[in-house]
Each structure stands twice: as structure tokens, then as C-alpha cells.
Amino acid sequence: MPSGMPTAGWFADPAGTGRMRWWDGTAWSDRYADADGLPPFTPPPDPTGSPGAPRRRPRRWLWPAGVGALIVGLLVVVGLVGSPDDDEVDTAAVTASTTAASGGSPSTPSGPSVSDRASTTEPMSTTRMLGREATAALRRLDELDVKGRAPKTGYSRSEFGSGWSDDVDVDGGHNGCDTRNDMLKDLDEVTVKSGTRGCVVLSGTLHDPYTGRDIAFVRGEGTSSAVQIDHVVALSDAWQKGAQRLTVDERRNLANDPVNLQPTDGPTNSRKGDGDAATWLPPNRSYRCTYVARQIEVKAKYRLWVTAAEKLAMQRVLATCGATTTDSTVSRKPTTTDRTTTVPKDSETTTATPRRYWKPRRTR
């Protein structure tokens, strides 16, 4: 090694790139700090000890300085890799901020919420909700009536028409295919049965937003149930919160409206049952804001109400996505206490038809 040349180490690139370049002790290599996995950084304005630069300190400091730079860079990389997932939310902080905004004391929504204890290691959906979208959903939530549940008396699935009826005035209605197959056609890699006008789906892949997993669908007696079609607002829940007042046609639309339908994992759908936001949320935390916003949209479209506990749960979820609490949300009080509500008979209701509009069915 020529006399006076430094030992191997990281030095400012003499080509003026602003990066650190590896000096192997005899010549410049093609290795740069950022290319080797270390974060790019700007070297000191006048690094001493660089090859060819005036030496201003003893050579014994060059090797420790190079090692120190490597250690610092590695610590930065480890810190970045080990940072917590931004899907994880400080529940206590969110609850405290929401409670402070609403002027009440912390409370826990009634009923079980197994999904709240879902493992944080589950795959996460890439679906994100922007703060302005969450705020818009929060404002729309404030426009919904807050009442207690009506009696479940008289509820049956047939009150919402025959299963997956095509005789509806919503997106996909009167197209010759039943609603379930319409929803399954939104899966990826779909194959359909010949001779069915493209209606009967034989197989496909579901990117399930509720769980964050990919689920294979294969039509068959023992396999079809792996993918089920969830009513985002469960029909039983809707019945107890205003659907009794809807006309038969409106209830049939509600049961087959793509805005209220989501293909999902069969066992997950079974665990949800007829739960509302106060008792069940998707295991995939990154989809919860979108899920709650869809429930609000359905309830607004079909003039349904929410309970006080349900509204509080929705506010908490939307707060995790940056929703800004409005003054009206803070000041508005429930229209009734959380007790059983008497609902007028069908003969006393209006017959207004909900507005029709298109909404993408699949949310990733």
C-alpha cells in the first residue's frame, strides 16, 4: 500500500455525488453506502482522512471512524425495520380523545367483541381511508337518528324477499343473474359454467378485506361455503333499526344492494352473525374504517337508525383514521334513550324509493 494512504473505510465520494463510497485501501470501489443497505446520508462538508485529501489527524483514527459510521448506519436501518406497524392503534389514546370530544366518560360497547382481540400478526389489507373520507363518514353518522332497538318480533329472511333475488332496482338487478353470482363474478381469476350466460361462477380467488387473506373459491357441495356474501348491515339488525317501516320492495333492494354486500371468509361471516359495530368488527384492523363507513352509507340510504352504543363504537373507529369530530357530533343527543322502540306498521309508512347510484363492489 502506498505510503500515506488510509486503510479501507467509508469516505466522501471524490466524484462529488454526495454519497459515501468504499475505499478498499488501494483504490475506490463501486460500493456506495445506500447501495449496501445503509441509509443514504450527506457526509461532513470537509471529511478528513479521505484518500488524496490533506491529513489533519493521525492515521490511527481512520479505522475507528469508519467502523463507527457503519455501526450508526446499521442502527438506523434496524430502527426503521423494527418500527411498529402503522395499523396498530393506541386504543386507550383513541378512546380518551373520543370521550373528551363527546363530553362523556369512557365506556365499552355492549356485547362481545372477539375481533377487537384479533392477532396483530394477521395479514393486513392495503385498504386505507383518508382523514377527509373518515370525517365525511363521521358527519354522515351524525345525521342518523339515534334510538333503541325495536322488537325483533316478526323478523324472518323472507321479509327481505327470496334469497338473492334479481328482481330489484339496484346495481345488477334484472340482469338475468342471481345476486350471489353477481358478487362472485367480482373475484379474481374467475371461471364460469358454460351455457349459463356467464352467470354461474365455478371458481375464483377472493382477496378478503375482512381478514386480509386470499381465499380460493370452488363451487361445490362441500366447498362453496368457504366464500359467503355478507350483508354489511345485517338484515336482522336492519329489521330492528327501521327496516320494518320500509316497503317490501325497499327491503328486497336492501338485501341485494351491492353497497350492502361483501364476499368474505365463510367462518368469519358466521362469527359476525347479526352484530353491529358495537359488537363486531372485521379482524383486519386496516379495513375497519371502510367497513364502518359502508354501514353508515347503507343506513343513510335506507333511512335506518343506530343505537347510542353503536354510534359511539363507530366514532371510535373513525377516530383511528383521522376523522375530525364536528361540533354537531359533540352537541347532538340521542333522540330517545336506548330502550325498545315502537315501530309503526307497514300501512303507516311512506313508499319513497332510495336513490340509485353505482358503487364499486370490490374494495381491496
Side-chain angles (χ1 to χ4, degrees):
M1 180 174 63
S3 175
M5 298 301 289
T7 57
W10 293 102
F11 301 98
D13 185 4
T17 63
R19 298 188 294 174
M20 299 297 285
R21 188 172 178 181
W22 182 257
W23 171 260
D24 64 9
T26 59
W28 290 106
S29 72
D30 292 330
R31 295 175 58 197
Y32 294 89
D34 52 350
D36 280 359
L38 295 174
F41 59 92
T42 303
D46 186 20
T48 58
S50 298
R55 298 182 57 80
R56 298 182 181 177
R57 58 182 177 180
R59 291 180 56 186
R60 65 178 177 272
W61 292 104
L62 293 176
W63 184 83
V67 173
L70 284 173
I71 293 175
V72 171
L74 289 173
L75 287 176
V76 171
V77 170
V78 171
L80 291 174
V81 172
S83 61
D85 193 307
D86 61 5
D87 283 328
E88 294 306 309
V89 178
D90 187 340
T91 304
V94 170
T95 301
S97 62
T98 306
T99 302
S102 60
S105 58
S107 62
T108 302
S110 61
S113 182
V114 176
S115 62
D116 284 334
R117 299 189 295 274
S119 171
T120 57
T121 61
E122 293 178 350
M124 293 297 176
S125 167
T126 57
T127 302
R128 308 287 183 188
M129 174 171 278
L130 299 178
R132 64 176 178 271
E133 296 171 340
T135 298
L138 185 62
R139 289 173 179 166
R140 200 167 196 183
L141 170 62
D142 190 47
E143 297 172 356
L144 301 180
D145 288 336
V146 181
K147 302 179 183 180
R149 287 179 177 271
K152 193 175 179 180
T153 306
Y155 167 76
S156 69
R157 177 62 176 82
S158 62
E159 291 292 337
F160 294 82
S162 59
W164 308 127
S165 173
D166 185 43
D167 184 20
V168 289
D169 297 319
V170 293
D171 185 33
H174 305 289
N175 67 355
C177 301
D178 66 85
T179 302
R180 173 175 166 82
N181 276 290
D182 277 340
M183 299 305 299
L184 291 176
K185 284 188 288 186
D186 277 345
L187 304 184
D188 282 347
E189 303 171 353
V190 165
T191 61
V192 296
K193 185 176 181 179
S194 61
T196 63
R197 303 188 309 279
C199 282
V200 178
V201 176
L202 295 177
S203 64
T205 300
L206 168 66
H207 303 291
D208 182 19
Y210 285 8
T211 64
R213 301 196 304 267
D214 288 349
I215 301 173
F217 169 76
V218 178
R219 186 180 184 86
E221 183 176 349
T223 57
S224 290
S225 61
V227 174
Q228 298 179 11
I229 310 300
D230 175 50
H231 286 98
V232 178
V233 174
L235 299 185
S236 173
D237 180 67
W239 179 261
Q240 298 173 75
K241 297 174 184 176
Q244 296 183 41
R245 303 185 301 182
L246 301 179
T247 67
V248 173
D249 288 342
E250 287 176 324
R251 288 199 294 268
R252 187 164 54 244
N253 286 342
L254 170 61
N256 294 276
D257 193 336
V259 176
N260 192 34
L261 299 176
Q262 177 60 57
T264 188
D265 169 56
T268 299
N269 186 43
S270 298
R271 283 191 291 271
K272 172 185 173 178
D274 62 356
D276 60 16
T279 59
W280 189 89
L281 291 169
N284 182 5
R285 294 176 181 271
S286 68
Y287 190 72
R288 289 181 177 180
C289 285
T290 301
Y291 174 79
V292 165
R294 291 182 65 184
Q295 286 191 323
I296 294 170
E297 182 177 5
V298 171
K299 295 204 169 190
K301 181 176 181 180
Y302 290 94
R303 308 183 305 283
L304 308 179
W305 66 72
V306 293
T307 63
E310 181 183 11
K311 180 174 182 178
L312 180 59
M314 288 177 164
Q315 289 173 331
R316 286 174 172 168
V317 170
L318 293 174
T320 68
C321 299
T324 303
T325 304
T326 62
D327 292 338
S328 59
T329 302
V330 174
S331 60
R332 179 166 175 160
K333 302 297 182 182
T335 56
T336 69
T337 57
D338 216 357
R339 60 175 180 271
T340 300
T341 302
T342 302
V343 178
K345 298 179 181 178
D346 286 347
S347 60
E348 303 172 7
T349 63
T350 61
T351 58
T353 301
R355 60 189 175 92
R356 296 179 61 187
Y357 60 93
W358 181 88
K359 178 181 177 67
R361 297 176 184 170
R362 180 168 57 224
T363 307
R364 298 283 176 86

